[in-house]
């Protein structure tokens, strides 16, 4: 008997399925603190490699965010180079985050020649501070054409320098922002840093009003829970769709998916555990505080969650973590799938963005306090966040609008496209009570009467959970659950920081005005937050976000419900959204327009690649297979025509039924081809994205439906693609 394509594949896979370890023996079982951050130019490395004066000046600059002068840069560069050489680095790179959503790097060696022509290692202050990648091929939304052809990278000292290991030597990585020479930003990091500045400024103002004059800075903190799929690499390599688009464009539903609910938190298979441990060791070396690992809801789905950090560092670390996951998966003969919906019919992957604000004095602003006064501060911050989400729900939605996430949001397993806020029973009640009491003359006593004294009872442990909410309060932080698994968290966080900063500003302005009028402090605050509690009430929702009733209710409340990326992206350039990004100094109008174009174009390009891939697979893999099987069926029927008339009739009708499906497949291929051609003829980018969404995607889905039906009716040994049951269940 000859082996089928998939039998051969299985032989490969079995051969590659050993449990393995791919890190150096010394790290196995080593207590984590002994090597945590060993590849980071952290405080310890700075103290060792920099003269004390340089070290303390650098620290001060990092804390204040001031620019670094050339002399200091020269001294730091020397220390960094010595440290990097001690770590086996031969090259350095500016590491940046262009609008592709991934990271970018261009390596240079330390090699130089001295005056005598002798080879030496050299790393200048200038090379540390500024780089000039040939950036002409990064998406700029037409910016560079209009302004300035070249872009440059500039060192961001707020994020630590690190070493990336390679099998034949290591590379020094300098985290940078990416700008054009006219100062227009071209990356995802700069707006994040600007939004953090804006939020720090306004939140510090608020705390000063509350008498906390020693607070100098407020940073936002983020813990990003990362979900992912792992499948055998050999299967991945046999699927053009996974390789080219990150998701399966075809695949019949297996008899068993996630309905047994037996994968979530199940015991972790040995081979997967070995992979996770390797990932964690690599993460620890880079100072990424990996904390939790577990199996997720879908078969073959997993999660890694770190301990939260300052947002820009959490963002860098999440990008690095995605890179580590990919590299280590490859070493273990797995393919890592970060797409939001790699498989139809089972859960997709998200990235829960846990978010809060913390002062430089160590206070978490979303932690309910223990006294009525602290509670007032907590209530003010809480109301500010809810109001910001209410007023800018559409903008927040744009920050998670990607073609991949469209398959997930609203798919009855992930947050819907409607942004609402979940608070839990207790906090909701408190806000209701405050609202019900229309009196404005608040005193501490009355605050207690209003039930605010019950706030200290709210602890992280007894807040109830609502897994269906896109933006849920979880005791001492908000969890933004609509973020996609493959996304950089920079976008969602810069939007969140910006809108909260904007409302904080308004709150501070109004409290100050009330105080000027001679109002007592508590009253001055309550008079500001009471109307906001009322105003933002429509965004609060405690029920099931997946229910059809909520969709209707949300429409009644006037909450935006943008189901697709093209629909949502329009909000990015709505007047009020441009205004808030501009006012908070996060993005200029030009930068917003450029980004909008990049995102719209990216949508069409992604769908075009998907449609072309689906067509290629349908024409060259599926159609030839089903034609072959159609012949087998026809021949089988013909061969018994003379033998058994009744059996012949039955087989003939089965053959006809199959042949009709094959004809349908041919039709659907032609239809999709024509519609993609039409899409590509559209000149206007916005119109084109709409067309891809409204016409091409349904045509792709129609093609998929026929292929998936055929998969279930075609001889298993002929089917050319790894099936769901193989990919999802074998590891
Ligand atoms: P779960 O939400 O699964 O119950 P946790 O509540 O422990 O898990 O936290 C989930 C994530 O939230 C972790 O990454 C954690 O570090 C992060 N987190 C906890 N506190 C904060 C905070 N103050 N700011 C931002 N993230 C936080
Ligand atoms: Mg969580």
């Amino acid at each position: 008997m000859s082996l089928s394509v998939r039998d051969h594949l299985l032989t490969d896979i079995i051969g590659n399925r050993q449990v393995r370890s791919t890190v150096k023996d010394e790290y196995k079982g080593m207590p984590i603190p002994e090597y945590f951050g060993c590849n980071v130019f952290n405080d310890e490395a700075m103290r060792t490699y920099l003269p004390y004066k340089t070290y303390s000046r650098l620290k001060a600059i990092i804390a204040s965010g001031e620019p670094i002068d050339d002399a200091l840069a020269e001294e730091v560069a020397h220390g960094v180079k010595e440290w990097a050489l001690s770590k086996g680095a031969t090259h350095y790179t500016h590491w940046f985050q262009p609008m592709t959503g991934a990271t970018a790097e261009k390596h240079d060696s330390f090699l130089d020649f001295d005056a005598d022509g002798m080879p030496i290692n050299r790393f200048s202050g200038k090379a540390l501070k500024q780089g000039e990648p040939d950036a002409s091929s990064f998406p700029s939304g037409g910016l560079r054409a209009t302004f300035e052809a070249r872009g440059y990278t500039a060192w961001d000292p707020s994020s630590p320098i690190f070493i990336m290991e390679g099998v034949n030597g290591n590379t020094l990585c300098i985290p940078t922002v990416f700008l054009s020479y006219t100062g227009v930003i071209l990356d995802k990091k700069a707006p994040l840093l600007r939004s953090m500045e804006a939020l720090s400024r306004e939140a510090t103002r608020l705390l000063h009003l509350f008498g906390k004059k020693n607070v100098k800075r407020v940073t936002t903190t983020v813990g990003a829970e990362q979900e992912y799929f792992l499948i055998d690499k050999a299967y991945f390599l046999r699927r053009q769709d996974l390789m080219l688009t990150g998701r399966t464009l075809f695949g019949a539903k297996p008899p068993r998916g996630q309905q047994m609910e037996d994968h979530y938190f199940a015991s972790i298979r040995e081979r997967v555990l070995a992979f996770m441990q390797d990932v964690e060791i690599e993460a620890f070396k880079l100072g990424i505080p990996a904390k939790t690992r577990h199996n997720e809801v879908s078969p073959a789905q997993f999660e890694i969650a770190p301990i939260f950090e300052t947002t820009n560092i959490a963002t860098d670390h999440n990008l690095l973590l995605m890179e580590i996951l990919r590299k280590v998966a490859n070493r273990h003969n797995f393919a890592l799938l970060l797409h939001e919906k790699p498989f139809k019919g089972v859960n997709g992957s998200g990235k829960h963005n846990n978010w809060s604000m913390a002062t430089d004095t160590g206070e978490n602003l979303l932690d309910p306090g223990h006294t009525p006064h602290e509670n007032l501060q907590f209530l003010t911050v809480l109301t500010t966040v809810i109001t910001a989400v209410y007023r800018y729900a559409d903008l927040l939605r744009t920050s998670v609008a990607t073609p991949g996430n469209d398959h997930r949001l609203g798919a009855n397993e992930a947050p819907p496209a409607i942004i609402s806020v979940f608070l839990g029973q207790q906090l909701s009640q408190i806000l209701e009570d405050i609202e019900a009491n229309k009196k404005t003359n608040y005193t501490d006593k009355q605050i207690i009467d209003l039930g605010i004294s019950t706030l200290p009872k709210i602890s992280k442990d007894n807040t109830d959970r609502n897994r269906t909410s896109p933006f849920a309060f979880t005791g001492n932080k908000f969890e933004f659950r609509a973020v996609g698994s493959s996304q950089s968290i920079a976008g969602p966080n810069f939007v969140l920081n910006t809108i909260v900063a904007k409302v904080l500003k308004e709150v501070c302005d109004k409290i100050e005005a009330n105080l000027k009028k001679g109002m007592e402090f508590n009253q001055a605050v309550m008079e500001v937050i009471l109307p906001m509690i009322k105003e933002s009430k429509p965004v609060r929702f405690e029920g099931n976000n997946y229910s059809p009733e909520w969709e209707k209710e949300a429409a009644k409340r006037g909450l935006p419900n943008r189901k697709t990326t093209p629909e949502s992206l329009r909000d990015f350039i709505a007047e009020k959204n441009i205004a808030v990004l501009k006012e908070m100094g996060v993005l200029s109008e030009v930068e917003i327009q450029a980004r909008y174009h990049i995102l719209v174009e990216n949508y069409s390009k992604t769908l075009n690649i998907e449609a072309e891939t689906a067509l290629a697979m349908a024409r060259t893999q599926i159609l030839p297979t089903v034609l072959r099987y159609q012949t087998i069926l026809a021949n089988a029927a013909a061969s018994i025509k003379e033998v058994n008339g009744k059996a012949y009739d039955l087989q003939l009708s089965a053959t006809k039924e199959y042949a009709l499906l094959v004809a349908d497949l041919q039709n659907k291929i032609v239809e999709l081809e024509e519609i993609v051609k039409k899409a590509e003829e559209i000149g206007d980018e916005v119109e084109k994205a709409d067309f891809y969404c409204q016409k091409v995607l349904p045509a792709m889905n129609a093609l998929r439906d026929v292929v998936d039906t055929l998969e279930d009716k075609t001889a298993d040994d002929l089917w050319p693609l790894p099936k769901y049951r193989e990919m999802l269940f074998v590891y």
Side-chain angles (χ1 to χ4, degrees), residues 221-225 305-308 354-356 364 460 465 467 476-477 479:
T221 51
V222 164
E225 305 168 49
I307 296 172
F308 70 93
N354 295 273
W355 177 93
S356 190
N364 176 357
K460 199 166 133 49
R465 287 297 174 113
R467 300 257 165 221
N476 58 359
K477 61 185 187 289
E479 191 168 331

Side-chain angles (χ1 to χ4, degrees), residues 275-322:
F275 156 83
M276 289 175 165
Q277 289 168 327
D278 279 9
V279 165
E280 286 159 3
I281 288 171
E282 299 295 358
F284 294 146
K285 286 199 264 181
L286 284 170
I288 302 172
K291 180 74 176 170
T292 309
R293 59 186 180 216
H294 63 80
N295 284 9
E296 257 300 332
V297 170
S298 165
Q301 192 186 28
F302 309 92
E303 179 179 303
I304 180 167
I307 296 172
F308 70 93
E309 300 174 278
T310 305
T311 306
N312 62 324
I313 294 175
T315 304
D316 284 7
H317 280 171
N318 180 253
L319 287 164
L320 280 174
L321 187 62
M322 291 195 280

Side-chain angles (χ1 to χ4, degrees), residues 64 120 196 260 319 323 381 388 394 415 464 468 493 508 699 701:
S64 68
I120 53 162
M196 290 173 70
M260 300 300 285
L319 287 164
E323 201 54 42
V381 174
D394 54 348
D464 32 3
T468 69
N493 283 297
C508 292
N701 290 339

Side-chain angles (χ1 to χ4, degrees), residues 383-654:
T383 304
T384 302
V385 177
I386 299 169
T387 305
V389 174
Y390 172 64
R391 291 185 189 166
Y392 298 99
D394 54 348
L395 182 58
L396 202 53
R397 166 72 180 93
T398 65
S399 76
V400 294
T402 66
N405 220 10
D406 277 4
H407 298 284
R408 186 177 154 256
L409 296 184
N412 269 2
E413 40 129 321
I418 307 161
I419 303 287
S420 68
V421 177
F422 170 82
L423 290 180
Q425 207 271 324
Q426 238 178 326
L427 268 183
S428 296
Q429 193 56 53
I430 288 167
L431 295 191
E432 298 279 334
D433 290 349
I434 294 175
E435 195 197 330
N437 190 321
K438 300 283 193 300
K439 271 190 267 174
T440 49
N441 194 17
Y442 291 98
T443 66
D444 273 4
K445 188 87 187 68
Q446 277 166 306
I447 289 170
I448 290 165
D449 290 341
L450 281 166
I452 295 173
S453 66
T454 59
L455 266 174
K457 285 197 205 123
I458 296 173
S459 74
K460 199 166 133 49
D461 304 323
N462 66 16
T463 43
D464 32 3
R465 287 297 174 113
N466 181 334
R467 300 257 165 221
T468 69
S469 173
F471 202 87
F473 185 71
T474 49
N476 58 359
K477 61 185 187 289
F478 274 101
E479 191 168 331
F480 186 22
R481 299 210 182 94
V483 182
S485 50
S486 68
Q487 263 192 280
S488 160
I489 57 171
N493 283 297
F494 89 63
V495 169
L496 196 48
N497 295 344
T498 304
I499 61 178
V500 172
K502 162 75 182 168
V503 181
L504 275 172
K505 182 168 180 246
E506 180 183 323
V507 167
C508 292
D509 288 347
K510 288 184 170 165
I511 295 176
E512 280 170 6
N514 285 348
L515 291 174
K516 256 199 200 121
K517 282 187 231 155
M519 230 180 254
E520 179 264 338
F521 183 72
N522 284 0
Q523 192 192 347
V525 174
M526 286 312 285
E527 294 232 330
V528 176
I529 65 173
L530 183 61
M532 284 184 169
I533 291 173
K534 286 181 192 161
E535 178 202 340
S536 62
K537 199 176 176 186
V539 85
R540 279 164 35 207
F541 181 60
E542 302 289 305
N544 178 8
N545 282 262
Y546 301 165
S547 69
E549 293 79 40
W550 170 231
E551 213 177 313
K552 282 189 214 125
E553 167 68 19
K556 257 193 238 150
R557 295 189 191 183
L559 299 180
N561 181 9
R562 311 280 190 253
K563 291 187 174 167
T564 65
T565 294
E567 208 187 329
S568 170
L569 287 180
R570 285 180 162 78
D571 294 331
F572 192 52
I573 49 165
E575 214 171 301
K576 80 175 210 307
N577 294 335
I578 292 180
V580 71
L581 289 163
K582 265 168 71 177
E583 184 189 338
M584 292 297 107
V586 173
L587 287 172
S588 68
E589 174 132 22
V590 175
E591 288 163 345
I592 294 168
Q593 293 290 351
R595 254 152 230 266
Y596 173 66
H597 284 291
I598 291 172
L599 294 169
V600 170
E601 242 181 68
N602 175 63
Y603 182 84
S604 300
K605 283 181 188 166
T606 304
L607 264 79
N608 177 259
I609 293 170
E610 288 189 351
E612 293 290 359
T613 305
L615 282 170
M617 290 171 79
R619 278 187 306 239
T620 66
Q621 293 187 297
I622 312 296
L623 188 60
T625 301
V626 295
L627 286 174
R628 233 173 274 157
Y629 190 57
Q630 178 181 275
T631 312
I632 292 175
L633 286 178
N635 287 345
S639 72
I640 56 159
K641 189 170 182 183
E642 308 300 325
V643 186
N644 184 329
K646 202 170 166 208
Y648 170 70
D649 288 345
L650 281 172
Q651 291 197 15
L652 188 66
S653 76

